[in-house]
Amino acid sequence: MRWEQRADGEVLIELRCPECLVLSQVCRSATEMAELDRRQAETRARLVDAYEATVAENMALLADNLAEALRRDLVGADDFAPRPERRRRPDDPDVRRAA
C-alpha cells in the first residue's frame, strides 16, 4: 500500500492481505524490493498475456457464431433496429435516481 525509504537503505513497506485485509509493516532491503518489483512485473505480464489470449479466443468464437447465423440466414435488418424505450413505472429505482 505504501513505502518509505529509511536512512539505513532499507525500505519500510505497508502491506495488506487481499484475503483478510490485515495490515502489516515490514522492512526490506533494496535488493529484496528489486526482486519484488521483478516478480510483480513478470506476474503482471503473464496476467496480461492470459487476458489478451482469452479476449482473442472469445472474439473468434463470437465471429464464428455470427458467421454461422449469417450462413443460416438468421440475421436480419430488424436485429439492428433501435430498441423501443422501456416504459418506466414511477416506483422504478432508475426513475427515482434520475429525478
Side-chain angles (χ1 to χ4, degrees):
M1 294 184 55
R2 291 182 258 296
W3 63 275
E4 178 184 313
Q5 185 74 41
R6 307 214 31 182
D8 59 3
E10 288 196 332
V11 179
L12 175 66
I13 55 175
E14 186 175 303
L15 304 169
R16 183 185 70 206
C17 175
E19 297 289 323
C20 64
L21 304 178
V22 168
L23 294 172
S24 61
Q25 288 186 339
V26 294
C27 283
R28 295 293 182 239
S29 70
T31 304
E32 290 172 313
M33 293 306 297
E35 177 63 15
L36 175 64
D37 284 346
R38 186 192 66 75
R39 286 184 181 189
Q40 285 179 330
E42 182 181 287
T43 302
R44 184 181 192 293
R46 285 199 318 255
L47 284 170
V48 169
D49 290 346
Y51 167 77
E52 289 175 350
T54 300
V55 168
E57 180 182 344
N58 287 339
M59 294 302 282
L61 290 172
L62 286 171
D64 291 345
N65 288 342
L66 177 60
E68 182 63 19
L70 290 170
R71 188 184 68 72
R72 293 182 182 196
D73 199 26
L74 298 174
V75 178
D78 58 330
D79 291 315
F80 300 97
R83 294 180 186 223
E85 197 168 314
R86 179 175 69 103
R87 292 186 61 195
R88 296 186 174 165
R89 299 184 319 263
D91 62 335
D92 189 339
D94 289 335
V95 171
R96 279 185 269 138
R97 200 174 306 130

